[in-house]
Amino acid sequence: MNSVYEQLSSLRRSGCLGKTMREVIPEIDLDEVAIYCEVASKNKAADFEYFANSRGRHLRVRAFRPQHGYLATIIDDVTDRRRAEEALRIQRDFNYALSAVNDLDGAFALILDAALSVKSIDSGGVYLADAS
């Protein structure tokens, strides 16, 4: 475990040595543990992404066995990329749906729905101003 992983995970190397993964991270997803077990036992590399609830971040994990009895992981925080992909998806879907709307009420409803579909927003509104 290096200092970057300590920063990403809030774990300390000294508190992890000699312990199982479940002892160190009790909330770890069992599917993730199964992937690591397969990597360690079958020397089969894995590359996957998941949302780490405990950190509120999207992580990409590449796991491999450098030698028998060892497991190595390379972990990248891909939260910003995932947020950008989600924003692009919302924008694409919004533009497609808006092109089919023929009235102002429908357009406003669509705008509000699109705004509410952004995960970091929990409310929305449309304000109109009379220019005269």
Side-chain angles (χ1 to χ4, degrees):
M1 176 184 298
N2 63 24
S3 62
V4 174
Y5 185 77
E6 285 182 329
Q7 238 177 349
L8 250 180
S9 68
S10 302
L11 298 171
R12 297 291 163 254
R13 186 175 197 262
S14 59
C16 298
L17 291 175
K19 295 182 180 176
T20 67
M21 190 175 287
R22 295 282 304 189
E23 290 172 324
V24 174
I25 311 169
E27 70 278 0
I28 193 166
D29 186 297
L30 292 179
D31 291 336
E32 187 178 351
V33 173
I35 292 169
Y36 293 139
C37 288
E38 187 167 326
V39 169
S41 66
K42 297 181 181 176
N43 195 19
K44 182 180 176 184
D47 188 338
F48 61 97
E49 289 185 11
Y50 75 101
F51 183 75
N53 284 317
S54 61
R55 298 178 205 108
R57 310 295 289 170
H58 290 275
L59 302 176
R60 177 184 180 201
V61 178
R62 287 166 282 173
F64 59 97
R65 187 177 88 176
Q67 67 184 54
H68 185 73
Y70 290 85
L71 175 71
T73 59
I74 299 170
I75 301 174
D76 296 310
D77 185 338
V78 295
T79 303
D80 291 340
R81 177 183 57 84
R82 294 289 293 263
R83 285 181 182 154
E85 288 172 350
E86 178 68 6
L88 287 172
R89 185 195 62 74
I90 290 168
Q91 182 180 17
R92 182 201 64 218
D93 293 350
F94 174 73
N95 288 337
Y96 179 76
L98 192 58
S99 68
V101 172
N102 296 322
D103 62 86
L104 196 56
D105 288 339
F108 285 142
L110 190 61
I111 290 167
L112 186 57
D113 287 344
L116 290 172
S117 70
V118 178
K119 291 190 181 5
S120 60
I121 296 175
D122 62 2
S123 64
V126 176
Y127 299 93
L128 300 176
D130 188 354
S132 58

